[in-house]
């Protein structure tokens, strides 16, 4: 901590962060290696729906910055979503461990450090991990996002959209990958081509490419991510009943604390295209379901999109346009998005232009490409008295260059900042504690077990099994599609087994109206009932389907 008088330059920067309303404390202004605790750097709570960027080289402290912001948001009653790529964010649920290093950092920035964890829920994609399973139906996921996962080109993406259009209109529910495979195989058959004649066609070559991509996806274990019960993104908006954090703990002194939703991704980190697109599905679904609220005193949710470069890499023009539109419009739904990546160049300029809050950790300039990235990063900041090229290469771990939006919406002065220490555990919690938290969650019973209802696969298999109900030529045409209701299981054998399991469940629930209404299968069915009326589903910017809560 400095005992010298605060320089005029520091005071001028601090004046730009002297907000009157509730704000998150990031740290203290840093000048020539000295932090000035009487010059705090803060983010107004009300501008967090204007989105943000946390960037920096590997090992510079980006994860700790996420943790610092997340725990203060929770204390202010704002729910948070965090993607845990490396498995080291789960500690947000546990109190931190006091240490000399933490005490020294707190003294340097004027922080009254108290160990404190946050209320948290732990999730895992498709149950691949210890967390509560998050699944999406194929119908809800939509053709645009699925094309990104399958790495399809724009022509193939257009053909997949045609498949969804057909299934929507014919009441063929696409719950899992088997359903989609069955519909594509049918549409590539002579009978299916006849049905598609009025709205377009699906070439055998394109169908083959998509079917092969689906087979690869399923062989990688991704089939577990698609199905029911579908995750209700309203679960991400929860707060505790009244466990209030005081101002020194990041709270506002009133109301419940925001639940921090941690999505475990270590089990799928070798499939970045898949998990990054699933994160976009969560955002798209929130955009579809939340009402317009305008600018609030505090956001309804702040969503941290880690490893953001994976989302944009190789994306089609339509996909990038949809991301840009979602980021632009979702702030009016009360949702803030923070993209987390290494350099601002990882984010398309149309998206970057909408990110009003910036926390830039150190960059390295060891190669010509690094030097270009550094120059490009400097150019994205407002003018300042700092030599940002020099500052950004000399920042230490836990230090960053910050500029945010003021309460009036104007950019604050650029501030080199020594950041506060998180009050929660800086590292993963023990595996046993994580399992205990998941077992104790009321959401576990709701989402743990996968459900398999009648859908497109069974309906097309049943259709193929009724040759007498159609003319002979059509019957032969339909029979030719028997080889492809799904890649692994041609014919009609799987359908009776699946119907039998449903019958057993229905028999066990007969007469128990209360149990039936509380059953997660029934709730999932009710949310998607609009899809089964034989009418085309209304879809959002990403082609994700609207659902009824």
């Amino acid at each position: 901590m400095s005992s010298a008088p605060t320089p005029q330059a520091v005071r001028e920067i601090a004046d730009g962060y002297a907000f009157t309303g509730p704000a998150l404390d990031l740290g203290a202004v840093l000048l020539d290696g000295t932090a000035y605790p009487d010059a705090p750097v803060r983010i107004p709570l009300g501008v967090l729906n204007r989105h943000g960027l946390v960037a920096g080289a590997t090992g510079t402290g980006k994860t700790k910055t996420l943790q610092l912001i997340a725990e203060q948001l929770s204390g202010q009653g704002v729910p948070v979503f965090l993607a845990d790529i490396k498995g080291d964010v789960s500690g947000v649920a546990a109190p931190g461990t006091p240490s000399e290093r933490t005490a020294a950092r707190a003294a340097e920035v004027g922080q009254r450090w108290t160990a404190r964890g946050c209320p948290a829920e732990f999730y895992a994609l498709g149950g691949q991990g210890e967390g509560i399973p998050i699944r999406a139906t194929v119908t809800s996921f939509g053709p645009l996002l699925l094309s990104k996962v399958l790495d399809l080109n724009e022509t193939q993406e257009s053909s997949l959209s045609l498949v969804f259009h057909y299934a929507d209109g014919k009441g063929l529910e696409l719950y899992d990958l088997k359903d989609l495979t069955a519909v594509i195989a049918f549409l590539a058959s002579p009978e299916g081509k006849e049905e598609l004649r009025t709205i377009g066609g699906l070439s055998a070559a394109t169908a083959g490419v998509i079917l092969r991509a689906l087979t690869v996806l399923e062989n990688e274990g991704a089939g577990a991510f698609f199905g029911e019960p579908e995750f209700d993104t309203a679960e991400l908006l929860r707060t505790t009943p009244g466990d209030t954090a005081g101002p020194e703990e990041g709270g506002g002194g009133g109301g419940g604390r925001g639940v921090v939703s941690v999505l475990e991704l270590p089990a799928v980190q070798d499939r970045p295209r898949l998990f990054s697109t699933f994160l976009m599905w969560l955002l798209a679904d929130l955009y579809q379901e939340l009402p317009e609220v305008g600018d609030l005193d505090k956001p309804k949710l702040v969503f941290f999109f880690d490893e953001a470069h994976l989302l944009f890499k190789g994306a089609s023009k339509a996909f990038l346009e949809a991301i840009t539109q979602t980021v632009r419009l979702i702030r009016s739904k009360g949702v803030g998005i923070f993209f987390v990546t290494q350099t601002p160049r990882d984010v398309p300029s149309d998206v970057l232009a909408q990110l009003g809050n910036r926390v830039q950790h150190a960059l390295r300039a060891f190669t010509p490409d690094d030097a270009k990235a550094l120059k490009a990063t400097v150019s994205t900041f407002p003018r300042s008295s700092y030599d940002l090229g020099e500052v950004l290469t000399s920042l230490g771990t836990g230090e960053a260059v910050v500029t945010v939006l003021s309460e009036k919406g104007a950019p604050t002065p650029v501030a080199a900042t020594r950041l506060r220490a998180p009050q929660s555990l800086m590292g993963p919690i023990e595996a046993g504690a994580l399992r205990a938290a998941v077992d104790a969650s009321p959401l576990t019973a709701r989402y743990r077990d996968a459900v398999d209802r009648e859908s497109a696969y069974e309906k097309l298999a049943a259709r193929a099994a009724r040759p007498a109900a159609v003319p002979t030529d059509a019957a032969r045409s339909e029979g030719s599609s028997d080889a492809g209701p799904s890649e692994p299981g041609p014919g009609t054998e799987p359908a009776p087994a699946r119907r039998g399991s449903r019958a057993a469940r229905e028999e066990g629930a007969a007469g128990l109206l209360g149990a039936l209404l509380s059953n997660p299968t029934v709730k999932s069915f009710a949310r998607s009932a609009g899809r089964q009326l034989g009418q085309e589903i209304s879809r959002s910017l990403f082609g994700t389907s609207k659902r009824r809560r």
Side-chain angles (χ1 to χ4, degrees):
M1 182 183 299
S2 174
S3 58
T6 303
Q8 178 64 25
V10 172
R11 289 199 299 270
E12 290 175 357
I13 293 172
D15 288 344
Y17 292 87
F19 309 123
T20 57
L24 310 184
D25 292 301
L26 293 181
V29 174
L30 183 67
L31 183 66
D32 296 330
T34 300
Y36 293 86
D38 57 347
V41 176
R42 312 166 76 211
I43 304 179
L45 192 60
V47 304
L48 285 166
N49 69 328
R50 304 296 183 92
H51 312 314
L53 176 72
V54 178
T58 301
T60 55
K62 297 191 299 293
T63 300
K64 300 301 179 286
T65 298
L66 303 191
Q67 200 168 334
L68 173 67
I69 297 174
E71 63 189 24
Q72 291 187 70
L73 285 168
S74 174
Q76 295 275 11
V78 178
V80 177
F81 176 89
L82 293 174
D84 189 3
I85 304 291
K86 300 179 293 235
D88 55 358
V89 181
S90 59
V92 73
T97 303
S99 67
E100 291 184 3
R101 185 175 179 182
T102 300
R105 173 57 62 98
E108 290 169 355
V109 299
Q111 176 186 12
R112 292 177 59 185
W113 190 91
T114 304
R116 184 177 177 88
C118 301
E121 292 281 8
F122 297 97
Y123 299 98
L125 286 183
Q128 294 197 7
E130 294 289 347
I132 300 161
I134 287 184
R135 304 180 187 87
T137 63
V138 171
T139 288
S140 177
F141 207 72
L144 195 55
L145 290 176
L146 191 58
S147 294
K148 180 70 163 61
V149 173
L150 297 175
D151 198 18
L152 303 182
N153 62 32
E154 293 192 14
T155 300
Q156 294 154 358
E157 179 182 295
S158 177
S159 295
L160 186 60
S161 296
L162 183 66
V163 172
F164 275 75
H165 176 82
Y166 173 82
D168 289 348
K170 295 296 183 179
L172 295 172
E173 301 88 351
L174 304 178
Y175 292 149
D176 52 28
L177 294 182
K178 186 181 293 185
D179 292 324
L180 181 58
T181 300
V183 172
I184 294 173
F186 169 73
L187 291 178
S189 71
E191 182 184 358
K193 289 181 179 179
E194 185 67 25
E195 292 203 18
L196 275 180
R197 179 175 296 178
T198 59
I199 59 172
L202 180 66
S203 72
T206 299
V209 170
I210 298 174
L211 288 172
R212 285 193 295 273
L214 287 171
T215 300
V216 170
L217 189 66
E218 189 137 33
N219 288 342
E220 290 177 345
F225 306 149
F226 296 97
E228 293 188 300
E230 183 174 80
F231 182 72
D232 187 346
T233 50
E235 311 285 12
L236 303 179
L237 306 176
R238 296 160 56 219
T239 58
T240 60
D243 180 13
T244 304
E248 286 300 329
E249 296 165 326
R257 303 175 71 200
V259 173
V260 180
S261 299
V262 181
L263 178 62
E264 293 181 82
L265 293 172
V268 293
Q269 61 180 321
D270 58 337
R271 282 166 277 176
R273 185 183 297 272
L274 177 64
F275 71 68
S276 64
T277 311
F278 246 91
L279 297 183
M280 202 66 229
W281 170 75
L282 291 173
L283 273 180
D285 192 74
L286 285 165
Y287 172 78
Q288 277 291 95
E289 300 299 329
L290 290 175
E292 294 280 342
V293 294
D295 290 326
L296 302 172
D297 291 337
K298 62 182 180 182
K300 300 176 77 170
L301 173 72
V302 175
F303 193 105
F304 289 92
F305 211 125
D306 204 359
E307 302 292 342
H309 64 283
L310 300 173
L311 178 69
F312 303 113
K313 184 179 180 181
S316 68
K317 180 180 179 182
F319 187 82
L320 290 175
E321 288 175 350
I323 292 175
T324 303
Q325 193 79 338
T326 299
V327 173
R328 179 179 296 121
L329 298 177
I330 202 170
R331 76 174 188 87
S332 66
K333 306 290 185 93
V335 176
I337 305 169
F338 273 70
F339 291 99
V340 185
T341 188
Q342 294 201 359
T343 78
R345 290 203 310 174
D346 295 333
V347 181
S349 57
D350 287 344
V351 175
L352 188 64
Q354 299 175 61
L355 310 183
N357 304 294
R358 300 276 301 278
V359 181
Q360 176 68 58
H361 287 264
L363 290 175
R364 309 305 179 208
F366 299 138
T367 69
D369 284 343
D370 291 342
K372 289 180 182 178
L374 175 63
K375 185 177 180 181
T377 299
V378 170
S379 69
T380 63
F381 278 89
R383 291 184 179 180
S384 75
S385 58
Y386 290 105
D387 180 347
L388 287 180
E390 180 180 346
V391 171
L392 286 173
T393 54
S394 60
L395 290 170
T397 301
E399 297 175 348
V401 170
V402 175
T403 181
V404 302
L405 293 180
S406 71
E407 292 166 312
K408 295 181 180 180
T412 59
V414 175
T417 306
R418 182 160 292 162
L419 299 168
R420 290 186 167 209
Q423 294 176 308
S424 53
L425 182 65
M426 289 186 278
I429 61 173
E430 294 182 358
L434 194 153
R435 283 193 297 270
V438 172
D439 290 342
S441 172
L443 302 183
T444 298
R446 190 177 307 167
Y447 295 109
R448 178 184 53 211
D449 298 325
V451 174
D452 197 358
R453 294 192 286 128
E454 184 181 60
S455 49
Y457 175 81
E458 287 85 0
K459 290 181 178 181
L460 290 174
R463 178 173 178 167
R466 295 195 301 268
V470 293
T472 304
D473 289 344
R476 284 196 297 270
S477 174
E478 192 167 271
S480 70
S481 69
D482 285 353
S486 75
E487 292 275 314
T492 61
E493 290 301 316
R498 291 171 72 174
R499 285 196 293 269
S501 64
R502 269 195 314 280
R505 289 194 297 269
E506 291 168 359
E507 182 179 350
L512 299 177
L513 181 59
L516 182 64
L517 293 176
S518 64
N519 189 288
T521 308
V522 177
K523 290 182 177 180
S524 181
F525 173 80
R527 288 198 300 269
S528 60
R531 306 190 199 119
Q532 301 176 43
L533 300 178
Q535 300 174 351
E536 183 177 352
I537 299 171
S538 174
R539 293 188 176 272
S540 73
L541 294 169
F542 279 96
T544 55
S545 64
K546 292 182 178 179
R547 55 180 164 159
R548 298 179 179 180
R549 298 291 186 199

